[in-house]
Amino acid sequence: MALRISAKRVCTASNAIVLSAIRTSTLKRNASAMAVPTSSSPESIGHNIFKEASLVSPDPSADSSTAALVNRYSPYMVATYVRPPPVMVKGEGCYIWDMENRRYLDFTAGIAVNALGHCDPEMAKLIGQQARTLVHASNLYHNAWTGELSKLLVTKTRESGAMKDASKVFVCSSGSEANEAAIKFARKVGKIRDPSGEKFELVSFQNSFHGRTLGSLSATPNPKYQKPFAPMIPGFKYGTYNDEAALKDLVTEKTCGVIVEPIQGEGGVMVANSSFLQALRDRCDEVGAVLIYDEIQCGLSRTGSFWAHGSLPASAHPDILTTAKALGNGFPIGATMVTEEIAKCIVTGDHGTTFGGNPLGCRLAHYIVSRLSEPELQEEVLEKEKIFRKGFKKLQVMYPDLITEVRGRGLILGVQLTRDPTPIVTAARERGLLVITAGTNTLRFVPPLIVTEDEIEEGLSILGEAMKAVMIKPDAIGGTKGQQEMAPPRR
């Protein structure tokens, strides 16, 4: 009991310190906005004063404690990402704070991951409980939570009207790993259906993103990212998204599997036509190929239905479904769901994972799936989409030469621009809003599904201010690089 009381006191004290730091930081920022310091570089000082006075969250300067921390650790980190200056340290709901105590409204949700927002209280509670019980024992032994999660995923999927033949689940640690499993399963099925070994080809589509491991990268036809690691795994073919007429020549008797995103997130928030997915299903049936739906970004109620393909007739449902991102709300976990026909082709030793299916991850995902499968939450997602679209329409009227189209469903939305969106990303961030890009010249909006109407309105207001700033002085604001996984070459 003494330990519990002590922990509570420490936690309370820590929170008080954080709040005090935020208040102190706010006072300092306000003071700096009013003060005019003396310096031998008036032009530089004037610029900094203007930023402090007019921006809610100006990026940390080169002499800030943030920059010092980044410079201290950068020499030890492989440079796989280009990041903007802020260092994020705290999150709550739809907001995130950096180490300078600047607050941002987060419309990125960790790239469509934090569907329940940052630091969901129940999730935090479950982490503590399970961490004190059992975190990992390996797949050499049974644990209750892997089975519970698998059962829940299959049950909720069937109840939602999606993937009518969903039967079994392979639990892993990431989206890329889920897709690797799907690719391997398709290859195994191909060998069983055609013992000659000729049925080994896999089909994916231009502008898709399926991951960075070699198998999933082979299914992601972006030369910029494939070339450094060439040759890719043999047997991959690439088609044009939504091109029904090309399917007969693309998907052949040699095809063992086809992987497709019902909504391409990284590719620019491109939505697959229902008729295209139906034609794809029909063609796979004709040649005996496995159909894989990659719903890693668009699934788990982000579109307002449990799975993005849930509105399709049963005749267009997949043989394999992959998921991750929102499945763990920030905790690394993925899953590959298969029909009984696929499952019976996979035997002991065909595939495996060290960390996948651990009790901690599966208990958290069980709670998250229970929340995300609630009809009330899904209905709210559709209502929130309307608010976003109304706001985007107003901005399009204000900037008709900038905004050409709004795409997507639910809370995975893309605003197509006529120019590089990265300066708007910068301007929005420096005004307290986080947004990311996708495809070519597309702003992507994937906020937490719990975002409120007031927060949406707040974000749209900031977005309008950012667009205004960029449009008034197009070359005055630098772009933010690295805000999407697979950025195409600039044209």
Side-chain angles (χ1 to χ4, degrees), residues 174-177 179-180 183 208-221 225-226 232 259 261 266 294 296 485-486:
S174 69
S176 191
E177 192 181 346
N179 282 337
E180 289 281 350
I183 290 167
S208 63
F209 178 76
H210 298 293
R212 293 183 179 273
T213 51
L214 197 56
S216 57
L217 181 60
S218 296
T220 302
Y225 294 95
Q226 286 188 347
M232 293 290 102
I259 184 168
E261 300 160 276
E266 293 292 331
D294 176 346
I296 289 167
E485 290 283 358
M486 291 286 187

Side-chain angles (χ1 to χ4, degrees), residues 264-285:
Q264 291 184 332
E266 293 292 331
V269 194
M270 301 293 184
V271 182
N273 298 329
S274 298
S275 59
F276 172 69
L277 294 177
Q278 181 66 69
L280 197 53
R281 171 76 273 177
D282 293 342
R283 185 56 181 161
C284 284
D285 289 341

Side-chain angles (χ1 to χ4, degrees), residues 109-120 122-124 126-128 130-131 134-137 145-146 149 171-177 296 300 323-335 353-369 372:
I111 317 181
V113 168
N114 303 112
L116 297 179
H118 295 282
C119 301
D120 176 78
E122 183 64 19
M123 184 176 167
L126 292 175
I127 289 174
Q130 192 60 40
L134 180 65
V135 173
H136 176 80
W145 286 107
T146 308
L149 173 61
V171 184
C172 52
S173 302
S174 69
S176 191
E177 192 181 346
I296 289 167
L300 292 174
T323 182
K325 286 190 179 288
L327 184 62
N329 204 62
F331 189 92
I333 186 170
T353 172
T354 296
F355 297 109
N358 67 75
L360 177 56
C362 288
R363 186 177 182 186
L364 293 175
H366 187 277
Y367 159 70
I368 293 159
V369 170
L372 296 180

Side-chain angles (χ1 to χ4, degrees), residues 66-279:
T66 293
L69 182 142
V70 170
N71 292 335
R72 186 183 311 140
Y73 296 128
S74 290
Y76 305 98
M77 299 169 65
V78 177
T80 52
Y81 281 89
V82 178
R83 299 177 175 94
V87 173
M88 304 306 179
V89 296
K90 176 189 173 185
E92 182 178 346
C94 294
Y95 292 92
I96 191 167
W97 285 259
D98 68 15
M99 67 178 291
E100 308 284 341
N101 286 320
R102 296 170 170 88
R103 188 182 79 161
Y104 306 85
L105 178 56
D106 185 5
F107 278 4
T108 75
I111 317 181
V113 168
N114 303 112
L116 297 179
H118 295 282
C119 301
D120 176 78
E122 183 64 19
M123 184 176 167
K125 176 182 174 183
L126 292 175
I127 289 174
Q129 289 178 352
Q130 192 60 40
R132 291 189 295 270
T133 306
L134 180 65
V135 173
H136 176 80
S138 89
N139 283 300
L140 298 178
Y141 309 101
H142 291 290
N143 79 75
W145 286 107
T146 308
E148 285 287 350
L149 173 61
S150 299
K151 179 183 177 182
L152 185 66
L153 276 170
V154 170
T155 301
K156 290 300 182 181
T157 295
R158 288 179 170 178
E159 287 178 356
S160 72
M163 197 176 176
K164 62 182 177 63
D165 294 324
S167 176
K168 290 180 170 58
V169 178
F170 169 74
V171 184
C172 52
S173 302
S174 69
S176 191
E177 192 181 346
N179 282 337
E180 289 281 350
I183 290 167
K184 285 181 68 176
F185 294 173
R187 278 274 173 92
K188 178 74 183 294
V189 172
K191 288 185 179 297
I192 291 173
R193 291 179 178 175
D194 182 0
S196 72
E198 291 297 309
K199 198 173 188 64
F200 68 94
E201 292 182 349
L202 285 132
V203 170
S204 62
F205 295 90
Q206 299 294 339
N207 299 315
S208 63
F209 178 76
H210 298 293
R212 293 183 179 273
T213 51
L214 197 56
S216 57
L217 181 60
S218 296
T220 302
N222 187 319
K224 177 181 177 182
Y225 294 95
Q226 286 188 347
K227 186 176 179 180
F229 308 102
M232 293 290 102
I233 293 175
F236 279 83
K237 294 170 64 179
Y238 310 122
T240 301
Y241 199 64
N242 279 330
D243 186 352
E244 297 174 39
L247 292 181
K248 187 173 182 179
D249 293 331
L250 180 67
V251 182
T252 70
E253 295 291 342
K254 289 187 175 183
T255 305
C256 68
V258 177
I259 184 168
V260 63
E261 300 160 276
I263 300 177
Q264 291 184 332
E266 293 292 331
V269 194
M270 301 293 184
V271 182
N273 298 329
S274 298
S275 59
F276 172 69
L277 294 177
Q278 181 66 69

